[in-house]
Amino acid sequence: MTAISIGSVTLDSNIVLAPMAGVTDMPFRRLVKSFGVGLVVSEMIASLAMVYAARKTLKMSSCCREEQPMSVQIAGYQADIMAQAARLNEQRGAAIIDINMGCPAKKVVNGQSGSALMRDLDHAKSLIKAVVGAVSIPVTLKMRTGWDHETRNAPELAKIAEDCGVMALAVHGRTRCQFYKGSADWDFIATVKDAVSIPVFANGDITSIETAKECLKRSNADGLLIGRGTYGRPWLINQIDHYLSTGTALPDPDMSTQLDCILRHYQSMLDFYGEQGVKIARKHLGWYSKGLFGACEYRSAINQETDGQKVMTLIREFYTPLIERMAA
Ligand SMILES: Cc1cc2nc3c(=O)[nH]c(=O)nc-3n(C[C@H](O)[C@H](O)[C@H](O)COP(=O)(O)O)c2cc1C
């Protein structure tokens, strides 16, 4: 593990779980943390909703003790509202505030938030200044390489952020116009790294030890931010971290350990969301079962079941024969 400091916060490891709306809720963050990760980041929190204390938003931004240090990511376009949202999250236990300048979604950029801010660096600067000035904890910023290929201004935004007191940056190596198409340009991230002296975390398409090594080499980044690679593999970040610091690869947990992890994850989703958790957890159960024998029928069964306890039984019934087969 390579420790890294983000302002006054020291992380045990330089590999971070990327913010993902609909995925990095408290149950998932806590689970990834239990395997080992430098930092977990909340789902994107709409600043305006936070300030109006919308119930769902408050739940999304809540942190628990086991996941500390935790970063809460805020999005928005009004400096005073972003500053208030940052302050509220500091009071509610966030160790770091992350500003979202990377979200490509139409409904976000049409509201001039997320990656739309990369098209107006003066406005971006006023938001950054307001947020940094509002809190005493470190502020970080996540961006894309630019709006489109012709305007890849991430190095410029990075310099502005550093000058305003931002303590670390994460760069997803795609433009806004790429959404998730094509592949992340890790070489371009190196130009952001060259522009600043604060830590830069490279992001995009890191799904294995090999891609992690290659990304670090090409981006020269100080750390990595990993998102979709953790789908169904909450242990992936720990495996990558372990390899990078020791040179030896950890195997995937055995099937019986995976079953324990899935049941633990499922129960914590039911505890966190109540009945709604049954629906919200389906995608995770699908990801865990990807590539396993009989996964199609299993997914179809869990997607129809509305009782959480019965889903737990279906999970056990699906994994137990697989565990037995492995033991035979
Ligand atoms: C389902 C989903 C939700 C996402 N939500 C957020 C978000 O709330 N905030 C953010 O900054 N990025 C968000 N992202 C982008 C990821 O943080 C990351 O930049 C992107 O997925 C590329 O990294 P990866 O290839 O490791 O997944 C999201 C991505 C996905 C797939």
Side-chain angles (χ1 to χ4, degrees):
M1 288 201 284
T2 306
I4 190 167
S5 291
I6 298 184
S8 54
V9 176
T10 300
L11 311 179
D12 295 337
S13 147
N14 59 349
I15 311 189
V16 173
L17 174 65
M20 289 185 286
V23 180
T24 56
D25 54 12
M26 192 199 282
F28 190 66
R29 295 192 308 261
R30 198 164 39 192
L31 182 67
V32 172
K33 185 83 184 186
S34 73
F35 284 100
V37 59
L39 178 72
V40 292
V41 187
S42 74
E43 303 171 77
M44 173 174 73
I45 303 295
S47 295
L48 198 58
M50 180 92 207
V51 169
Y52 284 115
R55 209 163 49 91
K56 196 171 158 213
T57 305
L58 291 181
K59 195 172 175 79
M60 247 199 267
S61 64
S62 53
C63 335
C64 67
R65 193 178 34 79
E66 303 99 289
E67 60 181 332
Q68 290 295 353
M70 174 191 163
S71 167
V72 174
Q73 186 189 66
I74 57 171
Y77 68 100
Q78 292 158 286
D80 55 334
I81 300 289
M82 297 264 303
Q84 280 185 62
R87 215 174 292 125
L88 283 169
N89 280 302
E90 178 180 27
Q91 286 160 7
R92 287 163 51 86
I96 292 174
I97 299 292
D98 185 52
I99 305 177
N100 181 321
M101 293 201 182
C103 181
K106 281 205 178 75
K107 72 169 191 221
V108 174
V109 298
N110 287 347
Q112 306 311 314
S113 305
S115 56
L117 290 160
M118 296 196 77
R119 300 178 96 182
D120 185 350
L121 295 189
D122 287 338
H123 188 51
K125 184 175 178 177
S126 68
L127 296 189
I128 298 167
K129 271 188 166 166
V131 173
V132 170
V135 291
S136 56
I137 51 178
V139 174
T140 60
L141 189 146
K142 181 164 179 279
M143 62 177 90
R144 288 196 168 222
T145 53
W147 178 261
D148 58 21
H149 194 78
E150 286 63 50
T151 55
R152 291 201 291 174
N153 58 358
E156 208 182 324
L157 175 58
K159 188 78 194 99
I160 291 171
E162 178 176 45
D163 291 345
C164 291
V166 163
M167 294 295 180
L169 301 164
V171 186
H172 176 186
R174 287 185 175 82
T175 64
R176 184 273 171 182
C177 288
Q178 278 183 287
F179 286 87
Y180 291 90
K181 293 199 202 85
S183 43
D185 186 343
W186 298 327
D187 296 312
F188 188 84
I189 298 174
T191 65
V192 180
K193 170 74 187 145
D194 283 345
V196 291
S197 26
I198 50 177
V200 172
F201 291 77
N203 170 238
D205 303 344
I206 303 159
T207 53
S208 61
I209 288 169
E210 290 68 33
T211 46
K213 270 185 353 193
E214 185 65 16
C215 175
L216 278 175
K217 193 167 109 197
R218 284 177 32 196
S219 66
N220 193 27
D222 303 282
L224 300 173
L225 199 77
I226 302 183
R228 292 166 295 172
T230 63
Y231 286 1
R233 295 186 297 168
W235 47 82
L236 175 73
I237 290 182
N238 182 52
Q239 287 175 315
I240 291 176
D241 199 359
H242 186 84
Y243 181 85
L244 293 177
S245 45
T246 65
T248 54
L250 289 175
D252 283 344
D254 62 35
M255 220 23 115
S256 155
T257 311
Q258 289 192 27
L259 173 59
D260 286 347
C261 154
I262 296 164
L263 291 172
R264 186 156 49 103
H265 187 188
Y266 194 74
Q267 185 60 56
S268 82
M269 291 195 80
L270 294 183
D271 295 344
F272 190 67
Y273 292 112
E275 263 176 36
Q276 283 181 326
V278 174
K279 217 167 168 186
I280 300 171
R282 284 178 186 156
K283 56 180 174 286
H284 287 285
L285 297 181
W287 291 329
Y288 283 122
S289 68
K290 208 172 149 205
L292 295 178
F293 181 76
C296 234
E297 295 79 3
Y298 165 66
R299 278 199 289 271
S300 154
I302 52 175
N303 288 345
Q304 285 170 47
E305 184 52 70
T306 54
D307 180 313
Q309 293 313 314
K310 288 191 182 148
V311 174
M312 295 274 241
T313 304
L314 288 172
I315 297 172
R316 284 196 195 88
E317 283 173 0
F318 175 65
Y319 283 91
T320 305
L322 297 176
I323 293 168
E324 285 165 359
R325 201 169 309 153
M326 300 250 167

